[in-house]
């Protein structure tokens, strides 16, 4: 890639600059400017345009806005725009890369990046400007194309191994290869995780086979049980048919047995009634025997009472006490001569004994009446018992009659056959019921078994899908591992080859440009990427290199890296000689055109380093010389032809 | 795909099985295209590339 023109608008101190570099496509362009004139910001403008970042900011620049400060001050309520445009030419043709950013007093918009590509004479907007940028120069290796003298000066001051290794890895894209290796390894790990739950279907198939055997066994059992049940049912039906033929006889036989039982019960009851009747008679016999006498006695008593022939009842003790006390209970004096006393004494004499009998009469009557009642109860109970006995006799007669009829009817029938049929019928019925239970149990087992078989089949289907996936992943893992293995071994080869290439190119350039050709005879970059400069005796001489020699070595190394990167891009060096003085500066200046031959090189130099002596060394390679004229009042840089 | 692969790397891929070679080139080109993105989610791109280029690959080739 070559830069044909850089256009800057309102970018920091560049208000409106267009720098034509067309002639310097294969040569050296010198831009000379004092401190603060904008040399480093020209580098920053290029990186801002390419990457949206100012990669070489100084502390002063960091404090200032991107938009030119004078433009910013005049904005008021308007907007201002920063624009950096690179017109380039690469192997694909001409391109214009433009980055712009709008600003107002209070706001800054996001930058916009646009790439125009010239195709068949017409400019077309690229659909993927970021890719265009990547094709031109990736940011990661920018530092090996755009660098400053300070960096060159410090490059080999300290330990070189890490710097050299880092640079070789970046420039050769080994960092990218390492990232690819890491990502590929992650993918392989992920694929392994995906297949870790894969289970061999053979094990499942074995279990399914066992279950299928169990199911087959159950089906056979059920079939056999059903056949058995069918036979039993047939036998049962036949038995039933025979049994039906005997059923009437059986019923009558049953009725006969029932009648026998009923007769037995009636007889038992009759015997109990007769016993009770006998007992009643035994207990009631004395009363029954005296029944007439009782009736007569009561009649006599009643008659006597009716006639008043029953003597009155007197209280003998009371009368005797009144006589002994000579006083009646009414208070009358019962003296020995008194008529009243005499009357009482007569009464006592006349009724003394009879009166006692009269007093017992109510009790006698009550006993007699009670006997009469008992006799009535006996008669009633006896009547009742007789009725019951008669009823039993009637029932027995009826039953006997019915029994006679039945016996007549079933006379000659085979009662034993009926019993056998009935017994067989019950056995068959029980056996059939047991078979139904067995069949139901077996069917339930079969259902469970079939359910498990379904589950296993589903599992196997899933596993087969997994297996398919597993095989697919195994193939992918194999592919990735092969690629990874190759990339890994290639990486090592590339490292060694690039190390050797960088070593050879650095050595060639360094020994070519170094002015003490007799002193330094060899340069090596060892396996650990340490750079070693050897003197003619084979001694390590890095420590004895002067600042200029060290900077020449760094430059040789940078250009070697630049060369093996595979990218063709301009080299822009900011103040390459600023830290050198006198003869060293001139010596380095002398070497620059040699190893930068054939490349577009832009050197940004201070007026103090671009001395007459330096200029004299560089001029043969210079195609353009410009000066950066900074107008501090306007905060503006103008690019003008350099006047020595 | 826009970025360029270092020709030395491409040279190393010469003689490889075609699918592995193209796969690796595309892999590196993708890495180059996303080299400015520290959090690039590479998974889907890698998966697609593996799917695409591993189709005709058999594990017997792994040792060749």
């Amino acid at each position: 890639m070559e830069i044909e023109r850089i256009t800057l608008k309102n970018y920091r101190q560049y208000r409106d600059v267009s720098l034509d570099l067309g002639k310097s496509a294969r040569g050296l362009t010198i831009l000379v400017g004092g401190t603060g004139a904008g040399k480093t910001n020209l580098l920053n403008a290029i990186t801002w345009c390419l990457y949206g970042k100012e990669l070489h900011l100084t502390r002063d620049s960091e404090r200032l806005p991107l938009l030119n400060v004078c433009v910013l001050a005049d904005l008021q309520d308007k907007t201002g725009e920063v624009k950096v445009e690179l017109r380039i030419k690469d192997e694909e043709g001409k391109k214009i890369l433009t980055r712009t950013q709008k600003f107002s007093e209070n706001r800054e918009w996001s930058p916009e990046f646009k790439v125009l590509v010239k195709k068949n004479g017409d400019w077309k907007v690229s659909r993927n400007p970021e890719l265009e940028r990547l094709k031109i120069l990736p940011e990661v290796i920018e530092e090996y194309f755009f660098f400053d003298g300070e960096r060159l000066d410090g490059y080999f001051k300290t330990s070189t191994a890490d710097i050299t290794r880092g640079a070789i890895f970046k420039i050769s894209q080994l960092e990218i290869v390492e990232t690819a290796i890491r990502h590929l390894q992650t993918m392989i790990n992920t694929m392994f995780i995906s297949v870790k739950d894969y289970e061999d279907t053979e094990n499942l198939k074995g279990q399914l086979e066992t279950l299928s055997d169990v199911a087959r066994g159950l089906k056979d059992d059920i079939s056999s049980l059903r056949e058995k049940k069918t036979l039993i049912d047939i036998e049962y039906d036949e038995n039933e048919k025979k049994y039906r033929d005997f059923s009437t006889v059986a019923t009558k036989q049953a009725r006969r047995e029932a009648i026998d039982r009923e007769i037995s019960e009636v007889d038992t009851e009759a015997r109990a009634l007769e016993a009770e009747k006998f007992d009643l008679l035994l207990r009631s016999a004395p009363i029954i025997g005296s029944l007439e006498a009782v009736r007569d006695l009561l009649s006599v008593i009643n008659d006597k009472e009716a006639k008043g022939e029953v003597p009155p009842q007197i209280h003998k003790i009371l009368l005797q006490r009144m006589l002994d006390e000579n006083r009646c209970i009414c208070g009358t004096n019962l003296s020995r001569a008194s008529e009243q006393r005499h009357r009482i004494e007569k009464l006592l004499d006349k009724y003394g004994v009879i009166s006692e009998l009269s007093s017992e009469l109510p009790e006698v009557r009550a006993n007699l009446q009670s006997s009469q009642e008992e006799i009535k109860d006996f008669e009633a109970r006896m009547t009742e018992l007789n009725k019951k006995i008669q009823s039993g006799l009637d029932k027995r007669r009826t039953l006997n009659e019915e029994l006679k009829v039945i016996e007549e009817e079933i006379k000659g029938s085979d009662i034993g056959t009926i019993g056998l049929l009935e017994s067989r019928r019950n056995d068959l019925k029980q056996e059939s019921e047991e078979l139904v239970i067995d069949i139901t149990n077996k069917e339930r087992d079969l259902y469970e078994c079939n359910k498990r078989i379904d589950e296993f089949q589903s599992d196997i289907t899933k596993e087969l899908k997994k297996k398919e996936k597993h095989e697919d992943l195994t193939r992918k893992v194999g592919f990735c591992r092969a690629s990874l293995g190759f990339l890994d071994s290639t990486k090592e080869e590339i490292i060694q080859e690039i190390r050797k290439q960088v070593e050879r190119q650095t050595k060639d350039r360094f020994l070519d440009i170094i002015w003490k050709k007799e002193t330094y005879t060899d340069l090596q970059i060892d396996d650990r990427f340490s750079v070693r400069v050897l003197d003619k005796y084979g001694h390590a001489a890095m420590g004895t290199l002067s600042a200029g020699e060290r900077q020449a070595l760094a430059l040789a190394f940078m250009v070697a890296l630049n060369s093996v990167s595979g990218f063709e891009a301009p080299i822009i060096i900011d103040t390459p000689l600023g830290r050198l003085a006198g003869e060293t500066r001139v010596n380095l200046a002398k070497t620059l055109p040699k190893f930068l031959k054939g490349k577009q090189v832009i050197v940004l130099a201070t007026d103090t380093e671009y001395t007459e002596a330096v200029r004299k060394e560089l001029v043969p390679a210079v195609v353009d010389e410009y000066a950066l004229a900074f107008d501090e009042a306007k905060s503006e840089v103008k690019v003008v032809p350099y006047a020595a | 795909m826009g970025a360029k692969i270092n020709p030395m790397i491409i040279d190393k891929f010469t003689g490889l099985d075609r699918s592995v070679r193209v796969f690796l080139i595309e892999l590196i080109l993708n890495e180059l295209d996303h080299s400015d993105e520290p959090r690039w989610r590479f998974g889907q791109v890698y998966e697609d590339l593996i799917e695409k280029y591993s189709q005709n690959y058999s594990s017997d080739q792994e040792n060749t």
Side-chain angles (χ1 to χ4, degrees), chain A residues 117-150:
Chain A
V117 180
K118 195 167 191 181
K119 281 184 183 169
N120 304 323
D122 295 326
W123 289 103
K124 290 184 178 169
V125 179
S126 167
R127 286 181 184 176
N128 198 339
E130 295 302 323
L131 277 182
E132 291 296 337
R133 178 181 59 75
L134 271 170
K135 283 193 277 187
I136 292 162
L137 189 67
E139 185 188 337
V140 72
I141 57 170
E142 172 271 350
E143 61 182 306
Y144 305 105
F145 289 81
F146 309 153
F147 48 89
D148 57 37
E150 189 179 357

Side-chain angles (χ1 to χ4, degrees), chain A residues 374-636:
Chain A
E374 275 184 46
I375 288 163
K376 279 183 187 169
D377 287 347
F378 164 77
E379 284 172 347
R381 181 62 190 149
M382 197 55 111
T383 307
E384 188 187 349
L385 284 171
N386 283 336
K387 272 185 185 172
K388 282 185 179 176
I389 289 166
Q390 189 56 49
S391 166
L393 288 171
D394 292 347
K395 191 174 179 184
R396 197 180 195 289
R397 191 171 52 252
T398 310
L399 287 169
N400 278 336
E401 283 168 4
E402 191 183 351
L403 194 59
K404 273 182 192 168
V405 172
I406 289 170
E407 279 175 345
E408 195 62 36
E409 284 173 349
I410 65 171
K411 194 188 265 181
S413 300
D414 188 353
I415 303 299
T417 305
I418 295 171
L420 286 173
L421 285 172
E422 195 168 58
S423 168
R424 184 62 186 150
R425 177 183 184 240
N426 290 338
D427 288 348
L428 289 170
K429 195 176 176 187
Q430 190 180 347
E431 218 173 318
S432 177
E433 281 169 1
E434 283 170 3
L435 279 172
V436 168
I437 292 167
D438 278 356
I439 290 169
T440 309
N441 285 340
K442 296 269 182 195
E443 281 177 339
R444 194 186 58 234
D445 290 349
L446 182 63
Y447 171 77
E448 291 296 329
C449 193
N450 282 334
K451 210 168 124 187
R452 291 278 296 139
I453 287 172
D454 281 350
E455 285 168 6
F456 264 91
Q457 283 173 342
S458 167
D459 286 351
I460 288 171
T461 309
K462 280 182 198 163
E463 288 307 322
L464 284 172
K465 277 182 187 167
K466 277 189 198 171
K467 189 179 179 184
E468 203 176 299
K469 191 179 169 192
H470 175 82
E471 283 166 0
D472 183 48
L473 284 172
T474 306
R475 178 174 45 77
K476 286 179 183 171
V477 167
F479 176 76
C480 289
R481 285 181 60 194
S483 305
L484 182 68
F486 177 76
L487 216 48
D488 237 348
S489 61
T490 305
K491 186 190 88 178
E492 282 309 312
E493 283 178 32
I494 294 170
I495 289 171
Q496 296 313 323
E497 279 189 27
I498 289 183
R499 181 180 63 80
K500 282 177 188 165
Q501 277 196 28
V502 174
E503 180 188 71
R504 193 179 62 250
Q505 292 199 29
T506 308
K507 178 185 165 184
D508 291 350
R509 286 191 168 85
F510 178 68
L511 295 181
D512 185 33
I513 62 174
I514 200 71
W515 40 96
K516 293 178 185 171
K517 293 195 189 299
E518 298 299 315
T519 311
Y520 307 111
T521 55
D522 199 8
L523 182 143
Q524 294 170 355
I525 299 177
D526 66 19
D527 289 347
R528 287 177 296 173
F529 301 96
S530 283
V531 178
R532 300 169 71 217
V533 175
L534 304 173
D535 66 14
K536 58 185 175 185
Y537 304 107
H539 296 140
M542 275 293 276
T544 63
L545 292 181
S546 69
E549 287 160 351
R550 210 168 49 238
Q551 205 154 328
L553 175 62
L555 203 56
F557 181 64
M558 290 296 236
V559 177
L561 290 173
N562 183 305
S563 168
V564 298
S565 74
F567 282 89
E568 279 294 330
I571 296 173
I572 305 174
I573 318 173
D574 187 15
T575 59
L577 311 169
R579 282 150 195 85
L580 303 175
E583 193 185 352
T584 309
R585 177 182 286 170
V586 176
N587 281 333
L588 189 61
K590 200 185 292 178
T591 65
L592 274 177
K594 284 186 184 174
F595 59 69
L596 297 175
K597 197 175 175 185
K599 291 181 180 292
Q600 182 182 30
V601 182
I602 300 162
V603 171
L604 303 162
T606 59
D607 41 11
T608 52
E609 73 180 311
Y610 195 57
T611 60
E612 195 54 45
V614 168
R615 185 167 181 262
K616 190 180 161 193
E617 297 298 337
L618 293 177
V619 154
V622 168
V623 288
D624 266 322
E625 281 179 298
Y626 296 103
L628 300 173
F630 182 58
D631 182 341
E632 199 165 353
K634 291 183 179 173
S635 190
E636 184 181 350

Side-chain angles (χ1 to χ4, degrees), chain A residues 131 133-135 172-173 176 179-180 183 475-476 478-480 482-483 486 490 493 497-498 501 564, chain B residues 2 4-6 8-9 12-13 16 20 23-24 31-33 36 42 46 50-51 53-55 57 62:
Chain A
L131 277 182
R133 178 181 59 75
L134 271 170
K135 283 193 277 187
S172 58
Q173 294 174 345
I176 297 290
T179 310
H183 287 167
R475 178 174 45 77
K476 286 179 183 171
F479 176 76
C480 289
S483 305
F486 177 76
T490 305
E493 283 178 32
E497 279 189 27
I498 289 183
Q501 277 196 28
V564 298
Chain B
K4 289 188 287 188
I5 301 180
N6 189 324
M8 194 179 291
I9 295 175
K12 287 284 165 199
F13 294 165
L16 270 183
V20 175
F23 169 69
L24 289 175
E31 288 291 353
L32 281 169
D33 285 353
D36 291 350
F42 61 93
Y46 269 60
I50 293 166
E51 181 70 45
Y53 291 107
S54 67
Q55 290 299 328
Y57 184 81
E62 198 172 341

Side-chain angles (χ1 to χ4, degrees), chain A residues 322-327 333-346:
Chain A
M322 285 190 307
L323 290 176
D324 291 345
E325 290 175 2
N326 298 321
R327 186 176 289 273
N333 188 15
L334 297 174
S335 63
R336 294 203 179 263
S338 71
E339 191 184 348
Q340 285 89 350
R341 184 179 180 94
H342 182 66
R343 204 179 293 154
I344 290 169
E345 282 173 345
K346 253 174 99 173

Side-chain angles (χ1 to χ4, degrees), chain A residues 297-313:
Chain A
L297 187 56
L298 272 173
S299 174
V300 168
I301 291 167
N302 290 337
D303 189 43
K304 289 288 180 187
E305 274 182 341
K307 287 176 181 171
E309 287 173 359
V310 177
Q313 287 182 34

